[in-house]
Amino acid sequence: MSAVTALLVAAPAAQAADTPLRDLAAAKGKAIGTAVTGSKLTGTYGDLAGREFNWLTPGNAMKWGSVEPSRGTFNWTEADQIVDFAEAHDQDVRGHTLVWHSQNPNWLDNGTWTPAQLRQLMTDHIALEVGRYKGRLAAWDVVNEPFNEDGTFRPTLWYNGLGADYIAQALTAARAADPAAKLYINDYNVEGVNAKSTALYNLVKDLKARGVPIDGVGLQAHLILGQVPSTFQQNIQRFADLGLDVAITELDIRMQTPATDAKLAQQRTEYEAVFKACVAVSRCTGVTVWGFTDSDSWIPDTFPGEGAATPYDANYRPKPAYYGIVTALGGTVTEPPPPTGCSAAYSVQSQWNTGFTGYVTISCAAGSSLSSWRANWTFGAGQRISQAWNAVCTQTGATVSCSNAAWNGSVPSGGSVMFGFNASWSGSNPVPTVTLG
């Protein structure tokens, strides 16, 4: 490798806030939550989930298809695990979700039911699940995603079989099963003032007028970088003015990958804006992020080519978005010192049961540059690279060496280049240290 005034140094470790996010949120009278996967609530993932958040939402464990995959056969293992973890860490739990068009068991979706049978199935399910956790869960997303984008009711098993009043019936059943739990209707693309959010507004206004038990609305906030609605706070306020609580229930802000410094800086600004909108409205109870680490995010599998949507990277390091949350909640952080020289940073952008996609970013601080480069690391758990792009990579045993392609050897002062690879893993996927040389 040849270098022009290049000093090779390790990338500085990201720093977290001295005060956990949950304490900052509590000082503002707000909740900060995360969706979790029960099987992962150990090690670093469990430590962060317990330390930083005061609410947990089971990502999938309480959905009908998870708890009753065969009629009359129940699996509460993961749901119980999450509730037990929350109680051990002085956290509240948001139940998610009771009545939805998706992730239902096949026997339910494929059955032929009369309206009376369908209503009984729905109310029995609510009575059973809410009753199981009576007194242990603070809130429930009772009805999830009832609307189309134009504000009409979504044609679902429930709407087609029972009409729009299935919503009132579900809420009534949930109140009977646990009078103390807060009951919500939850939907996406309702964060700003639009046709869909107005339909939700009109629905909950009508439900309250009829005396149907409803405590709040959930605005999911699966957002896209650069598209945070300008009417976010205004929309929260109009629901609050109905005498309802508002929760931001599933926040993530996705981008086209790979992430860049500019995209991550914009994401920080937008996370901060979302949290500030909630802080500004007294009846906004708090914000839940839909997974706190990119390694546990649903985005890459659902939106190929997109990701990096959460406040922590796949290696549990806080991203700029994390600092945006801290700032919005009135906290301070000690951010990493400005880098000097040139350095390499390794990240896992997505991971599945047998493989993962990784990236290495080579950056030069102001005053340093490279005319060519080679990045080296040693895998610690038998990982094997199968494909690389924007670099020529070789692997001998556990040792990997990647050199620049013909078109990206030059790294200017204050600039960076990135290359990626696919690899396999088994058992664990620890992050190696990358050196330049």
Side-chain angles (χ1 to χ4, degrees), residues 224-228 253 266 270:
I224 300 171
L225 192 70
Q227 298 183 26
V228 177
I253 303 177
Q266 182 178 357
E270 294 180 0

Side-chain angles (χ1 to χ4, degrees), residues 69-152:
S70 300
R71 191 173 186 184
T73 301
F74 298 92
N75 181 0
W76 303 102
T77 302
E78 186 185 0
D80 287 350
Q81 180 183 22
I82 293 169
V83 175
D84 290 344
F85 180 96
E87 291 177 342
H89 292 81
D90 192 26
Q91 296 167 309
D92 288 312
V93 178
R94 182 181 198 87
H96 179 80
T97 177
L98 296 169
V99 180
W100 191 24
H101 67 272
S102 185
Q103 290 185 248
N104 289 321
N106 289 333
W107 65 264
L108 178 63
D109 277 340
N110 297 331
T112 301
W113 316 108
T114 67
Q117 289 172 328
L118 191 60
R119 184 180 300 106
Q120 194 68 50
L121 285 166
M122 181 182 73
T123 56
D124 284 351
H125 170 70
I126 292 170
L128 178 69
E129 184 159 6
V130 177
R132 178 181 180 85
Y133 297 107
K134 181 179 180 180
R136 301 181 71 190
L137 265 63
W140 281 95
D141 292 327
V142 179
V143 175
N144 201 41
E145 301 173 2
F147 290 107
N148 293 316
E149 296 304 299
D150 64 359
T152 58

